[in-house]
Amino acid sequence: MNTFSRNVLGAAVGAVVLVLGGVAHAADTVKIAVAGPTTGPVAQYGDMQMMGAQMAVEQINAKGGVDGKKLEAVIMDDVCEPKQAVAVANQIVNDKIKYVVGHLCSGSTQPASKLYEEEGILMITPAATNPAITQQGYQMVFRTIGTDDQQGPTAGKYIATTIKPKKLAILHDKQQYGEGIAKEVDKTVKAAGIKPVLFEGVSKGQTDFSALITKMKKEGVDFVYYGGYHPELGLLLRQSREQGFDAKYMGPEGVGNKDISAIAGPASEGLLVTLPADFSTDPANASLVKAFKDKGQDPSGPFVMPSYSAVQIIVDAIQGAKTEDPVKLADYIRKHSFPTPIGKVAFKENGDLKEFEFVIFEWHADATKTPVKQ
Amino acid sequence: MSGSPLLEFIQQTINGLTLGSIYALIAIGYTMVYGIIGMINFAHGEIYMIGAYVGLLVITVLSLFGVDSISLILLATLAVSILVTGSYGWAVERLAYRPLRGSPRLVPLISAIGVSIFLQNYVQLGQGARDVSMQPVLVGGWRFGPEDGFQVYLSYMQVLIALITVVSMTVLTLFISRSRMGRACRACSQDRAMANLLGIDTDRVIALTFVLGAALAAVAGVLVSMYYGLVNPFIGFIAGLKAFTAAVLGGIGSIPGAMLGGVVLGLAESFASAYLRTEYKDVVAFALLIGVLLVRPSGLLGRPDVEKV
């Protein structure tokens, strides 16, 4: 046997030992999979999700864990792609993890949720807002964030009553999330008597919007609602200002992160964004906010606290129901309410929150935001 | 404010030509490789992506050092990007094509796809999988039209893109038609075995083709990072697909064809977006491709007996 194969054998034995070690260790931990994008164009949101979940895990472990067992977050990267999300969901099933905090994008949450429902895995998404996710009649699916049929009308009402644009354009990125919310906004403004002059979809990953901008400029559009994520909107904003198209833009929480200012620069000044209320300014969360800041983290991102809350709800349910069986936990969660950093939460039968509020913020070129009075 | 249809049309033409120039620059790489070895270089989109990354890095470094002369930034960035990207082009040929010369055609195709996936992941590991963005270096432009109505806007950057594209194409055309190496390229494209017999180092010619294609992709990459200011490791896929379409539309193997194909595709996307709906721009672009291929199976300027390089 030469050196090479001996090394390989050594590594293989090592790996087996590690795996066995892992199994032995698993008995006294409670694993929660945190599934979302840690790479790819929208990984910034994944950071918020991971940050929130990990903080919850640390704090719960510091208080003695779950009934004496250590809590462990297993981070899984789905790149916000539906295909990858299914692969991640399969891995979670194979790893026999019983709870999932995720996924993040609606498009990846939906296909993954089907697997969780079939396999009896408890899923709480802290970020996916498309209404369809909780309209599938599933028992195992919850969310700690509002839905686009709350967010869309918030934006739509603001446009109709405060902005009163002469000519409104609604754009989206043809994805489940972006198009979904654009349709909600469309419905709301139409009900208020405003008919958008155009309702069109751009492509995910598109970089050139000049033709579309020229068209809106020619139509005399003075307000644009964009349903989608920040990479496309950032370029859209930048190219609009470059072409001398000065309409005001508005977008959902998927555009609200620092990168929109990195891409659009000064063009991001004045962008309107609907976001969950900034829970980090709630005095009740002061000590939690301090814990984040001590670690050099920014807790003001829209998905940080919902993600923290999702972990906490799972743990509270395990302790309250005195079982680790996800199916029984789902039942327990539906029947009880939980004090969390996003407020006291209770769920509807379909897994949506009974109450959740979206707030309108004005974005600034230096990537800060201020709430808009409504 | 409702603008005049003519001005809008002019603006959409400008938009389309800018987009088309970029497609054309990338399309040349596909068409040249096809012209010489009769194969599609599927790693070409990734080569372009590397060009864009290098461009962005160099510009960022230069602005850190306080260089603010546009011409200096442009020249330095183009030079570095062409050098680096050209070496990647050479390496792709050396590693994925040359060892497989003489094997069935499917084999180098697969190895090129392998290289493409490799490069995508390699850049992702080295530079991170996230979008990298940069603020525009060259801002401003000219406005034409009524003060209070729709104005046509022609940015300096759009002019620069058109200018650089025309210069690159002219240099390439002169190189192919006038230089010794260019003559060797044409000979290889007509009959590689015969060229070899007559003492042309065909391996060198093929390597040169890959380097030239990569150099033009680098130019496109630099222009894209200056114009749009957003790159990520995945931009090569869509851009490659579009440029490949442009090359086929114009007649794969024909250099003027690739230029024409790029411009036609850019205009088609722009007009579809303007006069139909934005959703339909890819539908129209590809319908056009199918339409052209039905009528002219070898593309707009491609003829079976055309001088292919």
Side-chain angles (χ1 to χ4, degrees), chain A residues 21-196:
Chain A
V23 170
H25 188 64
D28 45 18
T29 59
V30 174
K31 285 188 183 176
I32 296 183
V34 187
T38 57
T39 62
V42 291
Q44 288 81 357
Y45 302 117
D47 288 348
M48 299 176 190
Q49 180 191 0
M50 307 304 160
M51 193 202 295
Q54 258 161 349
M55 178 60 81
V57 167
E58 272 169 37
Q59 293 196 336
I60 288 162
N61 280 338
K63 283 185 206 147
V66 193
D67 295 334
K69 292 181 188 173
K70 249 176 98 69
L71 193 62
E72 187 189 338
V74 184
I75 291 184
M76 306 253 185
D77 184 13
D78 72 355
V79 208
C80 262
E81 275 176 14
K83 262 184 284 178
Q84 189 62 25
V86 173
V88 162
N90 274 314
Q91 199 186 336
I92 290 170
V93 173
N94 288 338
D95 290 354
K96 304 209 171 10
I97 297 176
K98 291 184 268 184
Y99 323 104
V100 180
V101 171
H103 297 220
L104 189 116
C105 296
S106 298
S108 61
T109 307
Q110 178 130 7
S113 66
K114 182 165 186 286
L115 260 106
Y116 301 141
E117 177 72 15
E118 283 166 2
E119 298 293 332
I121 292 170
L122 176 65
M123 183 200 100
I124 305 184
T125 171
T129 50
N130 190 286
I133 291 163
T134 44
Q135 288 165 358
Q136 306 174 97
Y138 289 172
Q139 295 303 304
M140 306 301 291
V141 172
F142 296 88
R143 61 178 137 206
T144 49
I145 191 133
T147 58
D148 295 339
D149 41 19
Q150 296 166 317
Q151 181 171 201
T154 305
K157 268 178 212 140
Y158 184 75
I159 295 172
T161 55
T162 312
I163 305 274
K164 300 192 185 82
K166 285 187 208 72
K167 287 191 173 171
L168 168 71
I170 299 180
L171 309 175
H172 59 84
D173 64 357
K174 294 189 281 193
Q175 307 288 303
Q176 184 174 15
Y177 164 70
E179 184 166 3
I181 189 148
K183 279 185 175 154
E184 289 294 337
V185 172
D186 189 50
K187 213 160 66 186
T188 317
V189 294
K190 272 183 184 154
I194 297 177
K195 202 179 167 316

Side-chain angles (χ1 to χ4, degrees), chain B residues 13-25 74 78 138 142 154-171 216 219-220 222-224 226-228 259 263:
Chain B
T13 311
I14 296 174
N15 297 340
L17 286 176
T18 314
L19 193 59
S21 302
I22 306 271
Y23 289 158
L25 282 170
L74 187 69
L78 281 178
L138 182 58
W142 296 279
L154 178 63
S155 70
Y156 300 140
M157 198 59 217
Q158 286 173 320
V159 176
L160 190 72
I161 290 175
L163 209 69
I164 291 185
T165 306
V166 169
V167 170
S168 316
M169 300 287 181
T170 318
V171 171
L216 288 173
V219 174
V222 168
L223 292 176
V224 159
M226 285 178 80
Y227 186 47
Y228 301 119
M259 301 181 199
V263 170

Side-chain angles (χ1 to χ4, degrees), chain A residues 199-200 208 215 217 238 262, chain B residues 134-135 151 228 277-278:
Chain A
F199 182 89
E200 294 190 11
D208 192 294
K215 181 153 109 180
K217 191 169 136 192
R238 180 166 150 177
Chain B
M134 179 184 77
Q135 283 311 300
Q151 285 188 314
Y228 301 119
R277 293 168 61 86
T278 310

